[in-house]
Amino acid sequence: MDKRITIGQRRNLLLRYKMVMEEVDKHDLRDIAITRLHRKYIYPKFHISRDTLYRIFNTDIDSELTKLDEEEKNLQVVDTQQSLF
């Protein structure tokens, strides 16, 4: 049961990261510095620090989400097995 809670929390975190990246993609990064992007667009909407923004940039969101899906499927298989005793 505890494993499911952590999987759900991790999924929600990654989905939030995905929303932040979608907001970043709306703006042209060639013309604007990351600090200004953070100050004008990201912080007012998501209230995250610049360090968190850099952490989001370094996270491979799609592969992490697929790993979580596989983990969840494995947990469901283990839960459906019946005990012999």
Side-chain angles (χ1 to χ4, degrees):
M1 191 71 159
D2 295 326
K3 188 72 170 176
R4 286 186 189 149
I5 292 171
T6 58
I7 288 174
Q9 289 172 343
R10 182 70 180 160
R11 177 175 287 113
N12 286 338
L13 179 73
L14 290 169
L15 291 175
R16 254 181 293 159
Y17 281 7
K18 199 170 195 174
M19 288 174 25
V20 171
M21 287 304 295
E22 288 171 359
E23 183 68 28
V24 168
D25 290 339
K26 289 180 183 177
H27 306 284
D28 189 14
L29 293 178
R30 293 177 299 175
D31 297 334
I32 189 169
I34 292 175
T35 54
R36 177 172 257 180
L37 173 82
H38 173 261
R39 188 173 1 123
K40 284 185 85 174
Y41 303 108
I42 303 300
Y43 183 77
K45 188 171 184 177
F46 297 102
H47 302 290
I48 60 172
S49 68
R50 220 173 55 228
D51 290 337
T52 304
L53 182 60
Y54 287 127
R55 186 177 312 124
I56 292 170
F57 287 153
N58 291 324
T59 303
D60 188 11
I61 299 167
D62 293 328
S63 68
E64 292 284 330
L65 283 171
T66 55
K67 285 180 190 177
L68 282 177
D69 289 338
E70 290 173 7
E71 272 186 51
E72 190 172 35
K73 287 178 186 177
N74 290 340
L75 276 178
Q76 288 175 353
V77 169
V78 170
D79 286 344
T80 58
Q81 290 180 344
Q82 293 182 354
S83 175
L84 295 175
F85 302 103

